[in-house]
Amino acid sequence: MNDTRQLLVFPDRDAAEEVAEELSARWPDLGEIEVARDALAGEDDAEDAQWVVAVEAPEDGWTPGQLRGLDELATDQDGWREEG
């Protein structure tokens, strides 16, 4: 069982917010989904900031299907998934 927090990383805020809404609709048991701005390490320019959707694991942990769904949502918006 995978109970690690998942981070979906996107190049812009609109994509991150759209994915957060989709996650809430698809898996309402995930609870609060956090959208935050994350500056790239060593970058001072605000243009280089990424947007992160942080999703805590469901009570029973992530299923392989849910992790695939997260991957699909991320790649559909030019993003990716990381464990965090």
Side-chain angles (χ1 to χ4, degrees):
M1 171 169 53
N2 186 347
D3 59 358
T4 306
R5 176 185 217 198
Q6 301 297 311
L7 304 175
L8 306 179
V9 184
F10 301 96
D12 62 69
R13 182 179 186 164
D14 290 341
E17 289 180 346
E18 185 175 325
V19 168
E21 289 177 21
E22 176 67 23
L23 286 169
S24 294
R26 189 180 290 194
W27 295 302
D29 64 323
L30 291 179
E32 186 176 342
I33 296 171
E34 180 184 346
V35 177
R37 194 170 193 181
D38 183 40
L40 295 173
E43 297 293 337
D44 294 328
D45 189 353
E47 294 293 319
D48 293 324
Q50 297 173 320
W51 288 87
V52 176
V53 177
V55 188
E56 297 297 333
E59 190 173 305
D60 295 334
W62 296 106
T63 66
Q66 287 172 319
L67 292 175
R68 278 192 304 275
L70 292 176
D71 286 335
E72 290 170 5
L73 285 172
T75 58
D76 286 350
Q77 294 290 337
D78 296 324
W80 65 90
R81 176 177 62 90
E82 296 178 359
E83 291 187 358

